[in-house]
Amino acid sequence: MERLEMFCYQCSQTAKGTGCTVKGVCGKEPTVARLLDNLIFAIKGISAYLYHARELGFADSEVDGFIEKALYTTFTNVNFDAESFVQLAIKAGEMNLRTMRLLKEAHIKTYGESEPTKVRTGTDKGPGIVVTGHGLKALEELLKQTEGTEINVYTHSELLPSHGYPGLKKYRHLKGNLGKSWIDQQKLFTEYSVVILGTSNCVVIPREEYKNRMFTTGPARLPGVMHIEEYNYAPLIEKAKSLPKLEERPGNIVLTTGFSKSAVLSLKDKIKQLVEEGKIRHFFLLGGCDSFTKKMEYYREFVQKLPQDTVILTLGCSKFRINDLNLGEIEGIPRLIDLGQCNDSIVAIEVATAFAETFGVGINELPLTLILSWTEQKAVSILWSLFALGLKGIYLGPILPAWVNDEVLEILRENYDLRLISNPENDLRNILKK
């Protein structure tokens, strides 16, 4: 399986393939160096969720203390012990669970709990602003400042789930979602005459065609792009008013998002009945990041080959590979259930835990398989959260994490039964033959 190229923080060199292959100036063995990189990525993921929770007034001193300790162990010539880095990674997974619960609490207390919501994909007539990233607070402030104007606000990619929150969808000028995952930014933003606001990670270097109508806020920064401090969106509003108005152009599909923990568990008894009657054979959770690689086509092909007695839960940007498919229902239960973005992974974890209790089995005994795509730091922290909970048999691909060398992969296979995806037909056959 392909591996990403990465930079070794200890040896100050670029490593490819299995990562660092020699003991560099840092004196660390290759596996220790890879596990150290893994810990740094996990801390980055946790920090991203903490940032958004703190925006809404929520914090956790225990998580803060862990980040302090974990970062200190990544100093050169502090820790040379591979086993301790594995334990720190597990601890990072536990701390990420705390952080995701904190962020979900912040979202619910601020905006209400998400509810299943139909989201339009076309445009209305009038000036428009498209908001991308994970910043619900940034979106809320924009909606407040554009209320009463003729400006329409659209979400892109990671902000699709915002349409499910009562405190956000109450704004009538929050019109819908444009585009798919973060990888279509340059094409999408060139096509539409709109102002663009980037609120977090996953912003892409802009093309010249739209650079002068793009803005960033929060942690996001782009070269040659105006940055907005303290949510003062006056420059965006003026720019939007100066651009040609969008035409009314209805989209070809309507997306459904907003399946919160409460929404899914309200279907618990019906789902249990359908499973016991053999009308639902298996659940698949397809989650993770999207990427430019052609290998990401695996996820759409996999879903298209699924039998009609299966249900798909989806999380993260990989959902945009499948969420336009009309998969129908099983006696009122949607076959495609959008739980949100990576920020909402705690919803999937708590739902799975609740169903394990309902069926009286361990979480690994549920008719549930996780198939996760891979790209960035949040995916690292979530993966270790799943390991910390003892989940096994996870399928991972299409690209192997850069910090995984052969020795680390063997550890993950031995302790967590981690599996690498192959092709849709083969993987589906192996999963459903159980």
Side-chain angles (χ1 to χ4, degrees):
M1 179 173 284
E2 178 184 351
R3 287 178 169 87
L4 296 174
E5 184 174 292
M6 69 182 295
F7 183 79
C8 177
Y9 295 96
Q10 297 301 309
C11 300
S12 299
Q13 62 185 16
T14 299
K16 194 169 185 178
T18 57
C20 180
T21 56
V22 296
K23 189 183 297 185
V25 296
C26 63
K28 294 188 185 295
E29 296 292 345
T31 296
V32 173
R34 297 288 70 75
L35 290 171
L36 182 151
D37 290 328
N38 161 67
L39 183 59
I40 291 174
F41 295 151
I43 292 169
K44 287 182 177 182
I46 295 170
S47 298
Y49 296 139
L50 277 178
Y51 178 91
H52 291 299
R54 196 177 296 275
E55 277 187 308
L56 299 173
F58 290 75
D60 187 322
S61 59
E62 184 172 342
V63 178
D64 294 342
F66 167 77
I67 291 176
E68 176 186 283
K69 175 183 177 181
L71 276 176
Y72 189 23
T73 65
T74 66
F75 271 48
T76 304
N77 300 331
V78 169
N79 188 336
F80 293 79
D81 180 55
E83 178 60 29
S84 71
F85 276 114
V86 173
Q87 294 306 312
L88 280 168
I90 292 293
K91 190 66 175 178
E94 294 172 357
M95 291 296 103
N96 188 56
L97 288 170
R98 287 181 66 97
T99 304
M100 289 193 296
R101 290 190 184 102
L102 180 74
L103 181 57
K104 181 52 63 179
E105 179 187 6
H107 285 162
I108 291 174
K109 288 187 175 179
T110 306
Y111 306 116
E113 190 165 17
S114 291
E115 51 196 25
T117 303
K118 301 289 186 183
V119 183
R120 299 164 60 204
T121 55
T123 59
D124 280 19
K125 187 174 180 60
I129 298 176
V130 175
V131 190
T132 189
H134 295 268
L136 293 187
K137 174 68 173 176
L139 173 62
E140 178 193 23
E141 294 299 325
L142 178 65
L143 289 169
K144 288 179 181 178
Q145 294 176 42
T146 51
E147 192 171 23
T149 70
E150 63 174 351
I151 297 173
N152 297 317
V153 176
Y154 304 88
T155 59
H156 170 255
S157 193
E158 296 92 342
L159 279 173
L160 170 62
S162 65
H163 293 271
Y165 287 100
L168 294 174
K169 69 178 184 176
K170 69 180 182 182
Y171 293 96
R172 299 186 64 180
H173 61 300
L174 179 61
K175 292 295 185 178
N177 189 79
L178 297 180
K180 292 180 176 289
S181 76
W182 67 275
I183 67 173
D184 74 1
Q185 287 183 36
Q186 292 184 332
K187 179 178 182 297
L188 181 79
F189 298 160
T190 299
E191 177 182 352
Y192 288 94
S193 176
V194 293
V195 167
I196 308 110
L197 176 64
T199 68
S200 72
N201 57 302
C202 297
V203 289
V204 175
I205 300 296
R207 290 179 178 171
E208 289 298 325
E209 292 94 323
Y210 63 84
K211 181 186 288 187
N212 69 340
R213 51 185 172 86
M214 184 162 191
F215 299 79
T216 57
T217 192
R221 299 287 195 284
L222 289 169
V225 168
M226 179 182 289
H227 185 75
I228 300 298
E229 299 285 357
E230 303 299 328
Y231 309 115
N232 177 15
Y233 293 131
L236 276 81
I237 294 170
E238 290 306 310
K239 187 67 176 179
K241 290 178 177 179
S242 72
L243 296 174
K245 295 180 179 180
L246 294 174
E247 296 297 324
E248 185 171 351
R249 189 187 303 170
N252 296 324
I253 60 172
V254 175
L255 304 175
T256 302
T257 190
F259 282 91
S260 63
K261 175 183 175 182
S262 295
V264 177
L265 293 187
S266 71
L267 306 172
K268 182 173 61 174
D269 293 340
K270 180 65 175 179
I271 291 174
K272 184 174 186 291
Q273 174 191 336
L274 293 174
V275 171
E276 291 174 344
E277 292 175 352
K279 295 177 180 178
I280 295 180
R281 185 188 348 179
H282 205 84
F283 297 86
F284 294 88
L285 189 146
L286 273 63
C289 304
D290 196 6
S291 67
F292 291 101
T293 176
K294 186 175 176 60
K295 295 179 181 179
M296 280 297 297
E297 294 175 2
Y298 170 97
Y299 290 88
R300 190 176 185 88
E301 294 172 5
F302 185 90
V303 170
Q304 289 175 322
K305 294 180 183 299
L306 287 176
Q308 294 297 309
D309 58 357
T310 57
V311 173
I312 301 95
L313 308 170
T314 188
L315 278 163
C317 284
S318 61
K319 75 155 66 67
F320 290 102
R321 294 283 173 165
I322 61 174
N323 67 347
D324 63 324
L325 296 173
N326 183 8
L327 300 180
E329 299 181 341
I330 302 176
E331 295 190 14
I333 303 300
R335 289 195 58 231
L336 181 63
I337 298 176
D338 177 9
L339 300 176
Q341 285 302 118
C342 60
N343 306 32
D344 305 298
S345 297
I346 193 64
V347 174
I349 290 169
E350 292 179 345
V351 165
T353 301
F355 272 97
E357 294 174 357
T358 298
F359 285 97
V361 299
I363 197 167
N364 287 311
E365 298 172 274
L366 286 170
L368 169 68
T369 300
L370 279 63
I371 305 179
L372 307 179
S373 60
W374 189 273
T375 298
E376 56 106 89
Q377 294 91 329
K378 293 177 182 177
V380 180
S381 55
I382 292 170
L383 184 63
W384 284 102
S385 290
L386 297 175
F387 291 156
L389 290 168
L391 269 78
K392 296 187 176 182
I394 297 170
Y395 283 73
L396 189 66
I399 300 172
L400 196 62
W403 47 268
V404 175
N405 63 9
D406 292 339
E407 186 176 357
V408 172
L409 180 59
E410 185 56 34
I411 292 171
L412 298 179
R413 279 175 164 160
E414 181 178 340
N415 290 282
Y416 305 106
D417 191 24
L418 183 71
R419 306 174 186 192
L420 306 182
I421 64 170
S422 56
N423 60 70
E425 297 87 350
N426 184 61
D427 291 341
L428 184 58
R429 181 171 56 251
N430 289 334
I431 292 166
L432 293 182
K433 74 179 181 182
K434 298 177 183 178

